[in-house]
């Protein structure tokens, strides 16, 4: 196993190598699709958590995805056939993480990835050339630079495509023949046709917030099975996700500030209530923030607060620090964020009297100013 | 309709516990139970078949299994004189009991129901059931909830290719582990055993008697672990009437609230049709779902259906199930057919899984005369379409130019008089068109049966009910409503009597709201074109009299309580709404009445405010005059409380014109500005009701006027001024801040 200690972020197959080994050992004798490192049931266990093996040698598999198990099972069952999966859902719902975990468990590698954007071309999806070699030797195998998808076809692994709907339609269309025929033809190499090895498949992600940026053609839609990944609205589950993921990030960055769990809960409640436009108990309507304040943004805010606490404060995330970063995130997400935050503070400051709410709201109030101060 | 007669079990001393019965455990409405039971009967025909079902319902076996009948069907029974106490026993094609009846009939095997008769049913005649006790494991809580049992059955039984011995053994284990028995269960088992004992007494061997019962009872009955003394718990008999009615899959589903129902009858039917091949059933359902989705605008191809089938099968395998169930099927549809747009398709998918089959009952089944008339009318080619026998709500638009539609209209109005819940009129009758929302329910069959006791035709019963209603003391509004129904139902022989009742009620009525509502009812009928000419003339004459009386009363309105004031305001709106139907002197009377109410300080201010809005609506007052009156009311004389009531009445009508008038908004602003905090908080409920009526556009106009009046010009460059939402937001935030500070100041710290 490679030494990952100096890496900013280790891929899942390295981070969870022990778990994957334990699951593979427990899988002995179980049927698995050709090219898969684990059986489908173990893949689900790897993502959702459980145990590998029995007796004293059993290894606890940490749950990674907190959400709908049925959605994960649908994705795994799809990949067990030769259909590709499209994970669709609102931003910040762990679609990319889920695709990484699935690839790590199925193929043992999550690094065959095409990041969709308006700048990528068909070369990124199929293949390109080392032009120095191409000029020197002409089109040869050595000069050919396979895309992650072509590499996955050659090795029988699962490739990932992030943000599929941000790719231009003509680039998206290059996927149609790959997904239906499972082959790429390379005319420059004497019309060679590369046929995918068993185990090859594609997991794509698409953000529903991007709907309409580059709508997928119906031909391409038909080549994917859609699995909808919804936002987690349960505050306890969200808190669990935020704590776990932030701890991972802190560990990656070698920091360990104190993060009181009450404060995490405050942040999760704040973002959930601003996102849904009402308090958790449903009793009070609030002004909604136009943009999605997702779980990912909650994690990012908490992690930023942790960094600030570690390097700029006394090593503890305080209500004051957290309020500053929460304010910054909301303002960044929505131009009218200040109005929403003011409304929030004024409405709830008299009812949220238990710790650490008063300190948090006092700092937020200071940041957003009193209502009427800067308004006529 | 047949009055139930319970069978004679003979002398108690002759009854014996019979061990060795051939008991076949089933789950009600289960394809696998039905299939294996049929297989068992065909391969080894018994001499007698006993089915868990009310023993006094034997006469209905022929109707239920008649070639002209088609499931789903239900046996419906009610206690004579107490229609609220009713019992329903539905049967689908895949119900094992139904298959046992059909096979018994076709193979010539004597077939009977063997459970406690409905006439002795404790639920219908006695006290509530006692607490649960477990006969197998006293004191132990080992029971699953109904939902868990359903899940268990759906996962462990239905999809598995069980052989007969495997099935019987699985049921035995299930019965042993999950049996829940109370005292009444033991009584029922004793009764079933007693019925079997009668056959044994006639010389039939116990092993030749096939007893089809729920798996809960199977073990006890098979082993003879039954106490016949439990028969002492049978209650005193009640008189019951029963009949067979058509049923539907929608009603059979658990979603309809039927406790013993199943989640998806349509899927179960598909499994039955595929002879237990669940994979094939999944394919059939997916094809139907795809067709249904294509009608909804989705483009799902055969290839997509195949993909969905593969995914459902893979999912089932991943979850350790031998074949896909409903959960896998729905997920496959979501993933492969709707491709992330399931929310739009869920209704169509649900319909396919539940199914829309409605049963049919043979004509000779002894149904009530009203039920037969109802069926005959609905299925007559003149009436169907637009009428349909569907258990989903169907909108039926009638064109009263058509004679057939006129017949339908009067038929539906008659059903309303008889309180048969089939059609409900959407809106008041008026013009040449009527819109009805129709829906058939089993409750309707019960009402028809009960109503049959009052007459032999729907017309007779409707007339009887109308006469009874007329004999009671009615308010003007009630009498007018009844008159409208009688006229629309074309009960012409009693129309004169109904007119006299309305006349009397209006003469005796002194309440303005009552008279206004009565006038509104009659006005609807004036515009109703489906009446014969003679009746139409009568209606117009009556309307003129009642409207005249309402208008006279309007001039006498004085102080009244708040709730009555609201009723008067509603009644005035009705009068203004129908002013086109008034003659010229009456219109003048209306205008004068409104003007008096606007300027007079005696009536409740809500009435005055409403009168001002209505006067503006019927152009008897100009907007300037209304603004002047509003200014006087709000910032002139009177208390703040009265002013708020006036505002509430005013904003009931013509809001668009009012919020667009700067003078009125200025008075409004001045009124709110001068309120103290205490006054403001006190008036908040009334102000909320007032401004809550404003639509978003009206609210924006009002706020923009306020902005201009306060010269609160936006600080941003002029070119951005068209962003009215921005200006509105600022004012809203400003106002919000003020309101909250005021309210917060009142709250305890």
């Amino acid at each position: 196993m490679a030494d990952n200690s100096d890496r900013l972020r280790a891929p899942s197959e390295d981070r969870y190598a022990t778990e994957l080994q334990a699951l593979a050992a427990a899988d002995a004798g179980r049927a698995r699709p050709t090219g898969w490192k684990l059986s489908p049931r173990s893949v689900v266990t790897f993502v959702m958590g459980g145990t590998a093996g029995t007796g004293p040698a059993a290894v606890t598999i940490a749950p990674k995805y907190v959400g709908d198990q049925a959605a994960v099972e649908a994705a795994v069952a799809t990949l067990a056939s030769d259909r590709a999966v499209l994970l669709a859902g609102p931003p910040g719902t762990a679609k990319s993480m889920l695709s990484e975990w699935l690839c790590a468990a199925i193929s043992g590698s999550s690094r065959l990835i095409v990041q969709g954007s308006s700048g990528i071309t068909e070369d990124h999806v199929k293949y390109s050339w080392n032009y120095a070699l191409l000029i020197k030797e002409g089109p040869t195998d050595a000069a050919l630079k396979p895309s992650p998808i072509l590499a996955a076809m050659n090795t029988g692994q699962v490739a990932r495509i992030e943000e599929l709907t941000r790719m231009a339609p003509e680039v998206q269309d290059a996927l149609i023949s790959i997904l239906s025929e499972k082959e790429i033809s390379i005319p420059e190499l004497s019309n060679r046709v590369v046929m995918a090895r068993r185990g090859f498949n594609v997991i794509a992600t698409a953000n529903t917030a991007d709907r309409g940026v580059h709508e997928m053609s119906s031909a391409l839609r038909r080549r994917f099975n859609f699995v909808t990944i919804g936002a987690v609205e349960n505050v306890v589950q969200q808190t669990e996700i935020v704590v776990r993921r932030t701890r991972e990030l802190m560990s990656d960055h070698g920091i360990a500030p104190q993060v009181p769990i009450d404060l995490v809960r405050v942040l999760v409640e704040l973002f959930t209530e601003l996102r849904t436009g009402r308090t958790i108990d449903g009793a009070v309507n609030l002004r909604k923030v136009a943009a999605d304040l997702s779980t990912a943004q909650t994690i990012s805010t908490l992690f930023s607060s942790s960094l600030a606490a570690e390097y700029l404060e006394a090593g503890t995330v305080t209500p004051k620090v957290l309020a500053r970063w929460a304010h910054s995130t909301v303002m960044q997400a929505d131009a009218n964020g200040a109005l929403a935050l003011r409304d929030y503070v004024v409405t709830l400051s008299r009812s949220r009297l238990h710790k650490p709410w008063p300190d948090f709201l006092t700092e937020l109030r200071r940041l957003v100013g009193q209502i009427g101060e800067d308004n006529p | 309709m047949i009055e139930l007669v319970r069978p004679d079990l003979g002398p108690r001393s002759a009854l014996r516990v019979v061990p060795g019965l051939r008991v076949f455990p089933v789950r009600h409405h289960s394809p696998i139970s039905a299939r294996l039971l049929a297989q068992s009967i065909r391969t080894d025909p018994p001499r007698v078949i006993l089915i868990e079902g009310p023993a006094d319902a034997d006469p209905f076996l022929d109707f239920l299994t008649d070639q002209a009948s088609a499931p789903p069907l239900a046996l419906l029974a009610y206690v004579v004189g107490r229609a609220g106490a009713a019992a329903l026993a539905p049967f689908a094609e895949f119900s094992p009991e139904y298959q046992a009846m059909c096979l018994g009939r076709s193979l010539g095997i004597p077939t009977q129901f063997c459970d406690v008769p409905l006439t002795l049913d404790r639920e219908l005649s006695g006290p509530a059931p006692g607490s649960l006790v477990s006969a197998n494991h006293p004191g132990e809580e080992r029971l699953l909830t109904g939902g868990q049992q359903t899940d268990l059955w759906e996962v462990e039984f239905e999809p598995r290719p069980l052989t007969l011995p495997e099935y019987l053994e699985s049921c035995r284990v299930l019965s042993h582990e999950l049996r829940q028995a109370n005292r009444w269960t033991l009584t029922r088992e004793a009764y079933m055993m007693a019925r079997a004992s009668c056959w044994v007494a006639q010389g039939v061997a116990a092993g030749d008697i096939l007893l089809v019962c729920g798996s809960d009872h199977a073990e006890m009955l098979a082993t003879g672990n039954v106490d016949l003394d439990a028969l002492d718990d049978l209650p005193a008999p009640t008189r019951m009437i029963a009949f067979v009615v058509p049923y539907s899959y929608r009603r059979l589903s658990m979603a309809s609230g039927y406790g013993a129902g199943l989640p998806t009858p349509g899927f179960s039917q598909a499994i039955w049709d595929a002879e237990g091949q669940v994979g094939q059933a999944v394919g059939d359902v997916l094809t139907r779902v795809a067709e249904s989705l294509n009608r909804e605008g989705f483009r799902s191809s055969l290839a997509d259906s195949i993909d969905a089938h593969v995914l459902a099968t893979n999912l089932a395998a991943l979850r350790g199930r031998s074949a896909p169930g409903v959960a896998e099927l729905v997920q496959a549809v979501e993933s492969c057919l709707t491709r992330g747009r399931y929310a739009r398709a869920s209704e169509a998918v649900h319909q396919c899984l539940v199914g829309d089959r409605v049963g049919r009952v043979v004509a000779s089944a002894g149904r009530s005369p009203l039920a037969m008339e109802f069926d005959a009318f609905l299925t007559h080619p003149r009436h169907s379409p637009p009428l349909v026998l569907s258990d989903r709500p169907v909108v039926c638009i009638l064109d009263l130019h058509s004679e057939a539609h006129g017949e339908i209209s009067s038929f539906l109005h008659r059903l309303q008089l008889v309180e048969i819940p089939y059609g409900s009129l959407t809106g008041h009758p008026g013009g040449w068109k009527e819109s009805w929302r129709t829906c058939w329910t089993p409750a309707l069959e019960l009402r028809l049966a009960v109503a049959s006791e009052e007459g032999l035709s729907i017309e007779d019963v409707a007339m009887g009910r109308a006469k009874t209603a007329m004999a009671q003391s009615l308010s003007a509004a009630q009498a007018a409503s009844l008159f409208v129904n009688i006229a629309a139902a074309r009960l012409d022989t009693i129309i004169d009597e109904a007119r006299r009742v309305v006349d009397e009620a209006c003469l005796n009525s002194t309440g303005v709201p009552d008279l206004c509502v009565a006038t509104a009812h009659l006005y609807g009928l004036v515009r109703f074109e489906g009446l014969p000419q003679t009746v139409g003339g009568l209606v117009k004459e009556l309307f003129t009299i009642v409207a005249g009386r309402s208008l006279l009363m309007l001039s006498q309105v004085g102080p009244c309580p708040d709730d009555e004031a609201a009723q008067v305001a509603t009644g005035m709106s009705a009068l203004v709404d129908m002013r086109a139907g008034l003659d010229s002197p009456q219109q003048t009377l209306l205008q004068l009445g409104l003007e008096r109410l606007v300027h007079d300080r005696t009536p409740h201010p809500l009435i005055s405010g409403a009168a001002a809005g209505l006067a503006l609506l019927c152009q008897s007052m100009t907007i300037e005059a209304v603004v002047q009156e509003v200014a006087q009311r709000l910032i002139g004389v009177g208390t703040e409380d009265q002013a708020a009531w006036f505002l509430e009445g005013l904003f009931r009508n013509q809001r668009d014109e009012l919020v667009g008038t700067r003078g009125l908004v200025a008075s409004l602003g001045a009124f709110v500005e001068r309120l103290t905090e205490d006054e403001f908080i006190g008036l908040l409920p009334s102000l909320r009701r007032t401004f809550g009526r404003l639509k978003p556009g009206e609210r924006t106009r009002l706020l923009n006027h306020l902005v201009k009046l306060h010269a609160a010009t936006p600080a941003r460059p002029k070119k951005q001024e068209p962003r009215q939402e921005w200006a509105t937001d600022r004012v809203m935030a400003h106002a919000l801040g003020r309101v909250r500070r005021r309210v917060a100041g009142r709250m305890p710290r």
Side-chain angles (χ1 to χ4, degrees):
Chain A
M1 199 191 332
D3 177 18
N4 297 326
S5 57
D6 61 341
R7 285 197 217 163
L8 193 58
R9 180 179 175 278
S12 287
E13 57 271 23
D14 292 347
R15 184 193 297 266
Y16 302 112
T18 316
E19 289 185 7
L20 290 170
Q21 279 170 4
L23 284 166
D27 251 351
R30 265 195 213 160
R32 68 184 80 165
T34 313
W36 283 39
K37 304 279 184 202
L38 298 178
S39 69
R41 209 169 291 178
S42 292
V43 174
V44 175
T45 308
F46 175 70
V47 176
M48 301 304 299
T51 48
T54 50
V59 174
T60 303
I61 308 297
K64 291 155 197 76
Y65 174 70
V66 180
D68 186 12
Q69 174 156 345
V72 176
E73 287 173 347
V76 173
T78 298
L79 291 167
S81 66
D82 60 352
R83 299 277 296 172
V85 170
L86 179 72
L87 304 176
T93 46
K95 298 181 294 295
S96 302
M97 292 304 300
L98 180 57
S99 83
E100 181 181 327
W101 292 322
L102 289 172
C103 287
I106 293 170
S107 304
S109 168
S110 59
R111 280 168 280 190
L112 296 170
I113 177 167
V114 177
Q115 182 62 51
S117 74
S118 54
I120 74 163
T121 63
E122 197 176 328
D123 294 354
H124 293 88
V125 174
K126 290 184 169 176
Y127 57 89
S128 59
W129 300 94
N130 176 337
Y131 287 97
L133 271 180
L134 185 67
I135 292 165
K136 186 182 169 197
E137 298 175 358
T140 59
D141 283 339
L144 184 75
K145 301 296 289 178
S147 71
I149 293 176
L150 182 54
M153 290 171 76
N154 279 325
T155 53
Q157 290 180 300
V158 181
R160 297 166 60 198
I161 302 176
E162 285 293 300
E163 306 289 2
L164 177 66
T165 47
R166 298 201 71 81
M167 287 161 50
E170 59 272 22
V171 183
Q172 289 183 19
D173 286 350
L175 284 168
I176 293 177
S177 65
I178 297 174
L179 294 180
S180 53
E181 312 303 330
K182 315 286 186 205
E183 62 182 36
I184 290 180
S185 115
I186 309 174
E188 297 89 338
L189 294 178
S190 313
N191 284 328
R192 182 190 298 172
V193 175
V194 178
M195 302 180 83
R197 294 179 63 155
R198 283 192 177 277
F200 165 71
N201 215 326
V202 170
I203 304 176
T205 62
N207 203 322
T208 46
D210 287 339
R211 192 168 279 165
V213 176
H214 290 305
E215 205 64 65
M216 289 168 71
S217 67
S218 59
L220 185 58
R221 289 175 73 89
R222 279 207 304 276
R223 274 141 184 100
F224 280 105
N225 280 4
F226 280 54
V227 175
T228 305
I229 306 293
V232 180
E233 295 295 350
N234 181 305
V235 173
V236 177
Q237 277 189 346
Q238 272 195 77
T239 309
E240 191 187 328
I241 297 169
V242 171
V243 167
R244 185 187 311 140
R245 186 72 194 118
T246 309
R247 275 191 191 141
E248 284 176 8
L249 287 169
M250 285 170 18
S251 161
D252 287 344
H253 287 72
I255 59 170
Q258 294 283 319
V259 184
I261 190 73
D262 290 352
L263 264 182
V264 183
R265 176 91 184 215
V266 163
L267 185 67
V268 169
E269 281 190 23
L270 170 77
F271 280 12
T272 307
E273 289 173 338
L274 287 175
R275 182 172 66 230
T276 56
R278 62 174 42 193
T279 49
I280 299 291
D281 58 9
V284 182
N285 285 336
L286 300 163
R287 183 178 283 266
K288 271 172 88 164
V289 172
D292 252 352
L293 287 173
S294 62
T295 311
Q297 275 173 301
T298 318
I299 294 165
S300 159
T301 306
L302 185 63
F303 179 57
S304 303
S305 310
S306 309
L307 284 172
E310 176 76 13
Y311 295 122
L312 306 174
E313 305 282 338
T316 301
V317 176
T318 60
K320 212 170 172 180
V321 173
L322 191 68
R324 261 186 251 148
W325 285 100
H327 172 254
S328 163
T329 305
V330 175
M331 296 296 288
Q332 197 181 349
D334 184 1
N336 286 323
L339 210 56
L341 279 175
R342 276 191 197 121
D343 183 67
Y344 189 89
V345 170
V346 171
T347 309
L348 298 178
S349 56
R350 287 179 186 280
S351 56
R352 301 266 163 101
L353 299 175
H354 52 284
K355 276 191 168 182
W357 275 103
D359 293 344
F360 181 78
L361 290 175
T362 305
E363 180 64 10
L364 261 188
R365 181 189 284 268
R366 193 188 67 73
L367 290 165
V368 296
Q370 289 289 339
I371 288 174
E373 269 180 12
D374 54 354
N375 277 320
Chain B
M1 288 167 65
I2 298 174
E3 179 159 357
L4 297 177
V5 180
R6 64 183 184 283
D8 185 13
L9 291 177
R12 174 72 183 281
S13 55
L15 298 177
R16 295 276 181 277
V17 171
V18 186
L21 288 172
R22 182 176 155 194
V23 177
F24 196 97
V26 297
R27 180 177 169 79
H28 309 302
H29 320 305
S30 157
I32 191 169
S33 292
R35 188 166 53 81
L36 293 176
L37 173 62
Q39 180 189 326
S40 170
I41 294 174
R42 282 202 188 93
T43 51
D44 183 13
R47 282 186 61 194
V48 173
I49 298 176
L50 296 178
I51 300 168
E52 182 189 330
D56 44 7
D58 282 346
F60 294 96
L61 281 166
D62 285 344
F63 300 137
L64 288 166
T65 55
D66 193 286
Q67 296 283 337
S69 296
L73 300 164
L75 182 70
L76 183 58
Y78 67 96
V79 178
V80 176
R82 201 155 58 96
L88 189 75
F91 301 99
E93 190 182 357
F94 48 84
S95 301
E97 295 89 342
Y98 180 76
Q99 287 302 320
M101 291 176 217
C102 291
L103 280 171
R105 180 189 168 111
S106 64
L107 299 176
I109 302 170
T111 305
Q112 287 181 335
F113 288 122
C114 63
D115 203 350
V116 171
L118 283 168
T119 46
L120 296 176
D121 194 289
R122 197 171 58 160
E123 294 282 341
L124 296 170
S125 59
S131 59
L132 286 176
V133 294
S134 170
N136 279 353
H137 310 283
E140 286 183 39
E141 284 292 336
R142 293 155 52 79
L143 307 174
L144 296 183
T145 64
Q148 287 169 329
Q149 285 206 36
T150 302
D151 288 347
L152 181 73
W153 192 272
E154 295 290 326
V155 171
E156 298 300 332
F157 281 76
E158 295 299 348
R160 295 197 188 280
L162 297 174
T163 61
L164 188 56
E166 287 169 344
Y167 169 85
L168 293 174
E169 176 59 13
S170 303
C171 283
R172 192 193 65 72
V173 172
L174 194 71
S175 165
H176 185 79
E177 293 298 317
L178 302 178
R179 175 179 162 81
Q180 47 185 353
N182 57 25
R183 188 78 192 153
W184 183 241
T185 307
L186 303 181
T187 306
R188 289 176 59 200
E189 285 166 0
Y191 197 92
M192 288 190 247
M193 180 57 78
R195 284 283 269 178
S197 159
C198 293
W199 280 100
V200 172
Q202 290 174 38
V204 180
D208 286 339
I209 300 172
L210 176 69
L211 202 157
V212 180
C213 61
S215 55
D216 248 16
H217 310 291
E219 196 181 11
M220 298 296 151
L221 289 167
T223 55
N225 188 4
V226 174
D227 178 9
L228 288 178
D229 288 343
L231 289 172
D232 295 339
D233 290 348
L234 286 171
T238 47
R239 283 184 63 207
M240 294 203 72
I241 303 265
F243 46 98
V244 179
V245 296
Y247 212 61
S248 71
Y249 278 171
R250 192 153 171 256
R251 301 283 154 187
L252 201 61
S253 74
M254 290 166 96
S256 72
Y258 170 45
L262 60 167
T264 49
F267 185 47
S268 297
Q269 180 67 47
I271 295 174
W272 171 257
D273 291 340
E275 297 177 357
Q277 303 298 314
V278 181
Q280 187 188 325
V282 168
D284 293 344
V285 172
L286 281 171
T287 310
R288 279 210 298 278
V289 169
E291 283 170 6
S292 173
L293 290 178
N294 285 343
R295 283 197 294 275
E296 297 282 320
F298 287 85
R299 283 186 230 150
S300 32
S301 62
L302 183 61
D304 294 332
S305 299
I306 294 169
D307 287 335
H309 198 299
V310 171
L311 178 57
T313 310
N314 282 354
L315 264 176
L318 184 64
R319 292 170 181 170
R321 299 177 185 174
S322 59
V326 172
E328 289 76 30
L329 207 147
V330 167
Q331 217 161 357
V333 169
E334 183 179 357
S335 188
C336 303
L337 298 186
T338 65
R339 303 195 186 284
R341 292 180 293 165
Y342 186 73
R344 267 182 55 201
S346 60
E347 179 62 25
V349 176
H350 182 72
Q351 278 188 20
C352 285
L353 290 172
V354 169
D356 51 8
R357 194 176 283 196
V358 177
R360 188 179 64 240
V361 180
V362 60
S364 61
R367 299 182 71 201
S368 69
L370 262 58
M372 287 196 286
E373 184 187 340
F374 179 84
D375 273 5
F377 191 91
L378 251 69
T379 50
H380 196 286
R382 268 169 74 82
H383 311 134
S384 177
L387 293 183
V388 282
L389 194 69
S390 163
D391 70 339
R392 291 180 196 282
V394 176
V395 174
C396 170
I397 308 284
L398 300 180
D399 177 1
L400 300 176
H401 286 104
S402 148
E403 197 181 328
H405 283 206
E407 286 171 13
I408 294 172
S409 168
S410 61
F411 178 76
L412 294 174
H413 280 288
R414 283 175 189 180
L415 288 179
Q416 281 200 324
L417 274 172
V418 186
E419 296 174 2
I420 304 295
Y422 175 66
S424 57
L425 194 59
T426 53
H428 293 294
W432 283 105
K433 285 204 166 171
E434 265 188 343
S435 173
W436 291 82
R437 182 179 292 273
T438 60
C439 181
W440 171 88
T441 62
L444 176 152
E445 297 284 342
L446 183 62
R447 294 272 184 94
L448 284 169
V450 174
S452 292
E453 293 172 9
E454 299 172 35
L456 294 176
S457 72
I458 291 172
E459 184 179 2
D460 285 350
V461 180
M463 213 169 309
R465 295 267 175 113
K467 281 180 180 168
T468 310
M470 283 191 290
Q472 292 165 0
S473 170
L474 300 173
S475 68
Q478 287 169 333
S481 171
L482 182 62
F483 178 83
V484 169
N485 282 335
I486 290 171
R490 299 203 193 159
L491 301 176
D492 297 346
T493 52
I494 56 169
I495 193 89
D496 281 330
E497 194 182 343
R499 180 192 183 283
R500 186 186 53 73
V501 170
V502 177
D503 226 356
E504 276 179 18
C506 287
L507 271 175
N508 295 332
S509 176
T510 53
V512 178
D514 185 30
L515 283 167
C516 289
V517 174
T519 317
H521 281 313
L522 292 172
Y523 181 58
L525 198 60
V526 169
R527 292 184 299 160
F528 184 55
E529 307 281 359
L531 297 176
Q533 206 170 0
T534 48
V535 178
L538 189 75
V539 170
K540 276 181 188 154
E541 189 188 327
L542 188 61
F543 168 72
T544 310
I545 294 169
V546 178
R549 185 156 172 74
S550 304
L551 290 167
L552 280 174
M553 294 294 291
L554 199 60
S555 61
Q556 296 168 22
V557 172
C560 58
D562 296 345
D563 52 347
E564 195 174 307
Q567 287 180 334
V568 174
T570 307
M572 288 194 312
S573 296
L575 280 173
V576 170
D577 186 39
M578 64 191 182
R579 63 191 182 281
L582 302 175
D583 57 25
S584 181
Q586 285 179 328
Q587 288 198 10
T588 310
L589 204 58
L590 174 65
Q591 290 181 357
L592 289 174
L594 289 175
E595 279 180 43
R596 183 193 78 80
L597 289 170
V598 174
H599 299 301
D600 195 351
R601 298 287 189 270
T602 324
H604 193 290
L606 177 83
I607 298 175
S608 298
L614 292 169
L616 189 63
L617 177 67
C618 58
Q619 296 178 343
S620 65
M621 280 180 82
T622 61
I623 184 70
E624 290 78 15
V626 171
V627 169
Q628 200 177 351
E629 183 65 28
V630 170
Q632 283 182 18
R633 294 269 185 171
L634 296 189
I635 47 183
V637 292
T639 64
E640 282 69 25
D641 196 36
Q642 287 174 328
W645 277 116
F646 182 84
L647 268 183
E648 191 177 336
L650 180 69
F651 274 78
R652 282 173 155 242
N653 300 287
Q654 289 301 93
R655 289 180 290 275
D656 189 42
E657 192 173 352
L658 292 170
V659 297
T661 308
R662 291 190 71 173
L664 189 136
V665 177
S667 302
L668 202 58
F671 168 66
V672 177
E673 283 291 326
R674 70 173 189 158
L675 293 176
T676 64
E677 279 191 13
D678 285 344
E679 287 167 349
F680 181 80
I681 290 166
L683 295 181
L684 210 48
S686 174
L687 292 174
R688 283 181 117 172
R689 285 196 299 271
T690 304
F691 296 109
R693 289 177 186 269
L694 296 180
K695 293 175 187 162
E698 293 167 349
R699 209 171 297 161
T700 306
R701 288 182 71 191
L702 179 71
L703 286 168
N704 283 340
H705 271 308
L706 276 174
V707 170
K708 285 176 189 164
L709 284 168
H710 287 273
T713 42
R716 293 193 179 184
K718 193 122 189 172
K719 60 182 179 183
Q720 292 186 8
E721 205 169 337
R723 294 178 58 189
Q724 291 191 344
E725 303 84 3
W726 179 76
T728 307
D729 275 352
R730 289 160 64 88
V731 174
M732 284 291 280
H734 189 60
L736 192 69
R738 290 187 54 195
V739 170
R740 287 211 167 116
R741 277 201 296 279
R742 284 178 176 194
V743 175
R746 303 284 303 164
M747 289 172 68
R749 288 174 188 277

